[in-house]
Amino acid sequence: MIPKKIRIIASEVFKNQADMAKKLEVGGSRISEAINGKTKYLNGEVIEKLIMIYKIDPVWLFTDDDEPLRYRNDENQKPEPKYYEAVEKINTLQEELIKYQKKDIENLKNAPVLPNNT
């Protein structure tokens, strides 16, 4: 996701970053990392909430442009091709995230156990 888009959402949809984190049920540090570009990902549940509950246009969300915040139109509007491209990008990012999470899990499983010095 693009940090400037997360920054816009935090200021225009929510009161602030803390409010955004609370309402999206994610840690405040995760929002801060996304805004500062330290992480590329907000989890799929967060993205789903932004799109489904807060009606953020997924094309706008994943497009690197300077357009103002754009909301979804649900009134029998046929999605534009960019919508499908954005959905595909979300799926690709989710798959990549899962790959990294599995790698982290394997690394933790294979990590040596430190002796307990109690």
Side-chain angles (χ1 to χ4, degrees):
M1 290 177 82
I2 300 165
K4 67 182 174 184
K5 299 290 177 100
I6 302 301
R7 200 173 305 115
I8 290 168
I9 292 168
S11 66
E12 293 186 28
V13 176
F14 302 96
K15 293 177 188 173
N16 51 42
Q17 288 182 32
D19 182 50
M20 181 177 182
K22 180 180 177 185
K23 289 182 177 169
L24 294 176
E25 299 173 352
V26 65
S29 61
R30 177 63 74 183
I31 299 295
S32 180
E33 288 172 355
I35 287 174
N36 294 318
K38 293 180 181 176
T39 183
K40 289 183 183 180
Y41 306 105
L42 287 176
N43 71 35
E45 291 175 9
V46 171
I47 294 168
E48 180 181 7
K49 287 177 185 177
L50 289 172
I51 293 169
M52 300 305 290
I53 296 172
Y54 295 95
K55 307 291 186 194
I56 304 298
D57 182 348
V59 174
W60 175 85
L61 188 60
F62 287 99
T63 305
D64 187 16
D65 58 30
D66 291 326
E67 289 185 29
L69 177 62
R70 204 168 61 211
Y71 292 92
R72 277 189 2 218
N73 289 329
D74 291 337
E75 303 299 320
N76 298 320
Q77 182 179 10
K78 184 177 179 182
E80 46 184 294
K82 282 186 176 184
Y83 170 81
Y84 296 109
E85 291 171 18
V87 170
E88 186 62 35
K89 186 171 184 177
I90 290 168
N91 290 336
T92 302
L93 290 172
Q94 282 293 21
E95 289 171 4
E96 190 174 335
L97 176 61
I98 289 168
K99 181 179 75 174
Y100 285 113
Q101 288 173 333
K102 286 180 180 179
K103 185 177 177 182
D104 286 344
I105 289 168
E106 285 303 312
N107 287 339
L108 288 171
K109 284 181 182 178
N110 297 328
V113 178
L114 299 175
N116 188 356
N117 294 333
T118 56

